[in-house]
Amino acid sequence: MAIEDCFILTKDDRNRIRRNFAEALIAKMEGEASSLKCLPSFLPRPSGTEGGEYLALDFGGSNVRAMTVRLSGGQADILRMKKMSLRRVGACDYTSADVEAKDLFGVIADLILAVAPETDTIALGHTFSFPAEQLSVKEARLIKWTKEFGVQGAVGEEVNRMLTEAFTRRGESRVRPVAIINDTVGTLLASAYRMPNTTIGSICGTGHNTAAVFPDGMIYNLESGNFDGLPVTEYDLEVDRMSLAPNEQRLEKMSAGHYLGKIVTLAAADKLACFRAGGELTGEDLGMILNDGGESRRTADLVEHRFGQRIVQSDCAFLRRLTRAVVARSAQMVACTYLGIIDVIDPTHTEHHAIAVDGSLFGKMPMYAKEVERVLGEGLVGEKAKADLIWAGDGSGIGAAVAAALALARPADQQDYHTFAESMVALYGSKGQA
Ligand code: BGC
């Protein structure tokens, strides 16, 4: 078998992934073991009438953005924005295990203060794109770092408390964190603010994950990057072994931008000796390879730059076929998870779903969005249900502002404690233990 062929998913494989995903969701609904987390956001979809000016923090990975956002009748405008890369703050990499949480949240607080109004206090919606156990709409405890973050002293801690302490150390009381959400929840909220039929929000970028609205009306962060019901290759197993947290985030390590270049590098090394001497392709490199037609000169230049050796045209063609297979597999797996969600939240297949997606892979990788769309369409053939994919660029930031508006509008006495299983059992009656 050609190396690239081991990444091909057959129709049976795709149906199995869809079914396994739906089963993992149902297991979680019934309080049983599952690779999905289904974390409550304590937020419903917005009505579209929310308004006002809010601070929004988009802490999505190594790139962090702070902005002020004005909401008005379904329209969201970003008024001011500042961003930074945590990998390069002066000479320091603020994602690494050499850094303490206190210092990480210090630089983030400074970024927020740089866009905050000078005098007034302002409510902040915080998009925090890591698995976090939501304690209330404004409190979430970090379960684990993903995306190869190693910062010390943060796991198990309440995230907005660490941020608030950083403001206090700076003698600042202008900023009031009122909501904390996952980026998938933010993407869903941002899209639903304009398009009420949005039922799924997803990120296909450096990391991968999806959130969905369940029949109790609440949005849940599935942490679907941890889904493990997938056919794996030896290269996936190797990427997992080399990662900071082996055995975790299996779907994410097979589908997200942070890992696709690693998979292609490892698989290519079985044929091309220069790939074995160290060096690695990035997600952006894969986009370049897919866009390079004709004589493949840019691919040959790239390989020379990354691995110190030029490869011939037929090897460039192999690398392109391999890249195409790895990227297509990612898009197909992701589409199958969306289908699995629709099977659970709309079992009679009668609704028209808008699926909002943000992230560089979906937005920039050649053929990615089209492939997700193709597999999604194929999966709903003959059904009454429809699904439209909506590009939700900036979704995480705008969604944070929408979350802040929703949080401020909530009745003060609202009960903030129930798990996914408890809520589902209340709706459907007890099957498993709640
Ligand atoms: C995190 C998710 C996040 C996703 C996309 C994953 O690594 O676990 O919480 O939504 O990345 O940013």
Side-chain angles (χ1 to χ4, degrees), residues 110-133:
D110 289 337
L111 187 78
I112 298 171
L113 291 168
V115 297
E118 288 294 328
T119 45
D120 299 341
T121 62
I122 183 165
L124 169 81
H126 180 175
T127 298
F128 180 70
S129 314
F130 300 91
E133 184 198 351

Side-chain angles (χ1 to χ4, degrees), residues 60 129-131 146-147 182-184 203 207-209 223 249 252:
S129 314
F130 300 91
T146 54
K147 295 178 263 208
N182 185 260
D183 51 356
T184 55
I203 304 286
H208 170 64
N209 183 19
E223 282 301 327
Q249 301 293 108
E252 179 164 77

Side-chain angles (χ1 to χ4, degrees), residues 88-121:
R88 288 180 302 273
V89 187
C92 185
D93 175 355
Y94 274 80
T95 70
S96 80
D98 301 335
V99 164
E100 291 287 330
K102 182 164 107 353
D103 301 318
L104 168 66
F105 283 95
V107 293
I108 292 178
D110 289 337
L111 187 78
I112 298 171
L113 291 168
V115 297
E118 288 294 328
T119 45
D120 299 341
T121 62

Side-chain angles (χ1 to χ4, degrees), residues 97 134 171 355 382 432:
Q134 199 90 30
I355 303 179

